[in-house]
Structures are given as structure tokens and as C-alpha cells.
């Protein structure tokens, strides 16, 4: 099976949202990418409550100082493309009230002709939860479950009715409806997150893993799927990786996953595919100066991956 390829859209400080999002999205579609993707970061605290990914003392990267809104970015991409799927890896569920987010995703899918992939996760930043003022950080898992219920209701037939902890919808008509059932992908790799993927999702969104690191999680996901009467093959696996290309091969002492020469990165991608990734979301925006460079690098990387038979 040929590895599907997605591309991260430009959201970081060096990019002009008006010009670069549209240009990169068009290039992705013309080049042959299967999908384009966004991520969500909302604040860059001067004195964070938590380290990066919740790890005490781990500093936040500087590019988080400015991240364009993910849903606006996807809307810009949808307007200039016809084929590529429009994914989020991920929207932080607890930063959004469930009913408005469900309606926005439905509208985007209707406007884009049925191309949205709703990638959701609970996030890790207490600072973001505090700024959003929607959900208390300890309630993030319960709120994600309610969001999934609300999406199923809002995207389904009218009349819509739902009562939960954060949401109450009296019997009502709610539109527009999605162009087709929107696939839901969930992030996270701990036991509880993988159980939720197996129980409720169409796909899983791991991030920044080598093939060797991905393989044991795939076994855990297969076991969880079996407990819920599903086969792991029913779940689509889209792996997000940050790619940093160097001119020459890096020695192992300086290597990180998906960092090095084209040959080294291709070997990493082959390992991910062998471990069970069906699609890889390539994010190269951090190491490009502008949208033109990002588009050129994305087109070159795509050609090299396909030439390698992946």
C-alpha cells in the first residue's frame, strides 16, 4: 500500500496568512498530497504553569508565540482547493464550546465538499485552558466525550436534541449539515486515550514517533479495538512528524527522528509505514523562511518520497 502524504499548512510567525496559506494549499493539491493539516496553539505564556507537553521545566518553543487560528487557516485552504482533505492535528477540544465547534466543522465540510477530518485531543496546557475559559483542565477528558456526543447529534438528522454537562440543545433544526459523515480522529497515546480511540474514533493521530516507537502503541491499539469488537484495520492511523532536512547525513549522535539527509528521513518514513502508519503528515514549516520556500520544499520532498516507492 502506498503511504498517503499530508502537509502541514503555514501557521507560524514567519508566514503571511493571507498569501502563504493559499499558495501552499494550492501547491499541495497540485503536487499530489492527499491532505493538508493544521494544529492549535493559542497563547505563549511568559511564566507557564506547565512545561512543554506538561513536562516540568521543558521550555516552550519560540514558534508557539504566534500560531494562526486553525479553523480560519483550513477555511482559507478549502477556498482554493478541490481535492485535498482538510484535517486538524489537533484541535484542543477543551478550548471550544462543543455546540459552536460542531457547527463550524459542519459548515466547513459543507463548504469544502465533504473533505474535513476532525482531529481532536485534550491538549496539555493549563495556560490555554485558563485563557479560553470554557473547561476546567481536570475535566478535559469528560468534555471531549461530550463534544463527540454533540458532534454526532448536530451532524445527524433534525430535530437535534441533547443535554449534557456543558451543552443543552432543545429540539431544534441545526444546519448546515456536513456533506457526508465527518470522520473523527483522536490523539493521545496513554491507555485511556487509546481506549477512547478504539471505542469512538475513525482514526488515531500519533505524533513524532519512529517506527520502533509506534509499533508497541499499535499493538496496544489493536488490543483495545478487540475489546470493543473492532479490528485495528478499521482505524486509520495518521502520524504527524516534524521534518528537518540537512544537506549531509547526520551522525547518529546528532540524529533525531525525521531529521537528517533525505536518505535518513526516507528511512524513518519507511519504518513508520512498516509499523502501521497509513498516512504521514509532513510538517516542514518550522525550517522555512516563507510560503514560497515551504511550497518548494514540500514539492521536492513529495517527489523524493514517491521516487523511493513509499
Amino acid at each position: 500500500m502506498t503511504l498517503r502524504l499530508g502537509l502541514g499548512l503555514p501557521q507560524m510567525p514567519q508566514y503571511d496568512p493571507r498569501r502563504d496559506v493559499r499558495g501552499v494549499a494550492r501547491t499541495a493539491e497540485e503536487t499530489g498530497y492527499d491532505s493538508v493539516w493544521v494544529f492549535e496553539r493559542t497563547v505563549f505564556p511568559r511564566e507557564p504553569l506547565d512545561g512543554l507537553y506538561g513536562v516540568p521545566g521543558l521550555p516552550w518553543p519560540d514558534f508557539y508565540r504566534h500560531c494562526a487560528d486553525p479553523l480560519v487557516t483550513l477555511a482559507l485552504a478549502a477556498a482554493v482547493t478541490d481535492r485535498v482533505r482538510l484535517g486538524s492535528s489537533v484541535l484542543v477540544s477543551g478550548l471550544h464550546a462543543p455546540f459552536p465547534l460542531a457547527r463550524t466543522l459542519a459548515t466547513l465540510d459543507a463548504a469544502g465538499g465533504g473533505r474535513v477530518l476532525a482531529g481532536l485531543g485534550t491538549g496539555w496546557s493549563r495556560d490555554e485552558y485558563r485563557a479560553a475559559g470554557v473547561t476546567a483542565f481536570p475535566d478535559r477528558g469528560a468534555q471531549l466525550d461530550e463534544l463527540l456526543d454533540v458532534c454526532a447529534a448536530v451532524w445527524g438528522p433534525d430535530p437535534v436534541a441533547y443535554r449534557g454537562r456543558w451543552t443543552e440543545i432543545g429540539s431544534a433544526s441545526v444546519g448546515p449539515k456536513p456533506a457526508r459523515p465527518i470522520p473523527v480522529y483522536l490523539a493521545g497515546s496513554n491507555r485511556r486515550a487509546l481506549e477512547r480511540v478504539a471505542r469512538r474514533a475513525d482514526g488515531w493521530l500519533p505524533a513524532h514517533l519512529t517506527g520502533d516507537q509506534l509499533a508497541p502503541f499499535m499493538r496496544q491499539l489493536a488490543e483495545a479495538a478487540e475489546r470493543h469488537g473492532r479490528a485495528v484495520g478499521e482505524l486509520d492511523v495518521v502520524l504527524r512528524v516534524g521534518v528537518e532536512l540537512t544537506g549531509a547525513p547526520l551522525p547518529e549522535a546528532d540524529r533525531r527522528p525525521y531529521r537528517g539527509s533525505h536518505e535518513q528521513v526516507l528511512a524513518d518514513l519507511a519504518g513508520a509505514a512498516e509499523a502501521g502508519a497509513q498516512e504521514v503528515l509532513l510538517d516542514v514549516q518550522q525550517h522555512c523562511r516563507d510560503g514560497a520556500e515551504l511550497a518548494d520544499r514540500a514539492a521536492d520532498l513529495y517527489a523524493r518520497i514517491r521516487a523511493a516507492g513509499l
Side-chain angles (χ1 to χ4, degrees):
M1 182 183 71
T2 300
L3 188 65
R4 301 196 314 270
L5 298 176
L7 181 67
L9 290 170
Q11 296 174 262
M12 293 178 182
Q14 66 269 42
Y15 299 105
D16 177 346
R18 181 175 182 271
R19 178 190 66 235
D20 292 336
V21 172
R22 294 184 296 180
V24 170
R26 280 193 293 259
T27 295
E29 179 150 287
E30 293 164 2
T31 299
Y33 278 91
D34 297 282
S35 54
V36 292
W37 296 78
V38 293
F39 69 99
E40 184 163 43
R41 290 271 73 84
T42 58
V43 298
F44 187 90
R46 299 286 183 89
E47 298 179 357
L49 297 170
D50 299 297
L52 182 68
Y53 309 133
V55 178
L58 188 63
W60 291 40
D62 194 63
F63 58 78
Y64 279 174
R65 291 181 183 275
H66 166 126
C67 296
D69 181 88
L71 293 168
V72 172
T73 301
L74 279 185
L76 290 168
V80 296
T81 58
D82 297 305
R83 178 187 57 79
V84 288
R85 292 169 298 139
L86 308 163
S88 55
S89 179
V90 295
L91 297 176
V92 181
S93 60
L95 308 185
H96 302 269
F99 179 66
L101 180 57
R103 289 199 65 246
T104 298
L105 290 169
T107 301
L108 182 60
D109 192 72
R115 294 185 285 144
V116 168
L117 304 176
L120 305 166
T122 56
W124 47 265
S125 169
R126 289 187 292 160
D127 292 282
E128 290 185 328
Y129 273 75
R130 182 171 63 179
V134 175
T135 313
F137 188 71
D139 294 330
R140 59 196 184 280
Q143 196 264 5
L144 173 56
D145 283 325
E146 179 161 315
L147 171 60
L148 297 175
D149 291 339
V150 171
C151 285
V154 168
W155 299 343
D158 291 331
V160 174
Y162 181 84
R163 175 175 289 186
R165 181 174 170 185
W166 290 272
T167 311
E168 184 170 349
I169 309 169
S171 182
S173 296
V174 180
K177 299 297 183 184
R180 91 304 191 208
I182 297 177
V184 172
Y185 290 60
L186 297 177
S189 56
N190 61 35
R191 181 192 59 78
R192 182 175 297 178
L194 292 177
E195 286 289 336
R196 184 182 284 114
V197 171
R199 188 175 72 252
R200 307 210 60 175
D202 299 289
W204 179 43
L205 296 172
H208 312 304
L209 300 176
T210 64
D212 288 343
Q213 293 167 333
L214 179 62
F217 288 114
M218 291 297 301
R219 290 192 290 271
Q220 292 176 43
L221 183 61
E223 293 167 0
E226 185 176 0
R227 283 194 291 273
H228 294 281
R230 305 177 71 183
V232 71
E234 298 176 32
L235 296 166
D236 193 30
V237 178
V238 181
L239 172 67
R240 183 185 194 107
V241 300
V243 176
E244 181 182 356
L245 294 167
T246 60
L250 291 177
E252 284 305 312
D254 297 327
R255 274 270 284 154
R256 296 194 304 269
Y258 308 99
R259 177 177 185 262
S261 67
H262 283 99
E263 292 74 18
Q264 289 173 317
V265 170
L266 289 171
D268 290 339
L269 291 171
E274 184 177 354
Q278 294 156 286
E279 181 167 347
V280 174
L281 189 187
L282 303 167
D283 198 340
V284 300
Q285 64 179 302
Q286 182 182 349
H287 304 288
C288 297
R289 292 166 295 183
D290 55 29
E293 183 178 356
L294 172 53
D296 288 345
R297 190 166 297 181
D300 177 69
L301 184 57
Y302 181 92
R304 289 175 184 268
I305 292 170
R306 291 305 186 223
L310 294 173

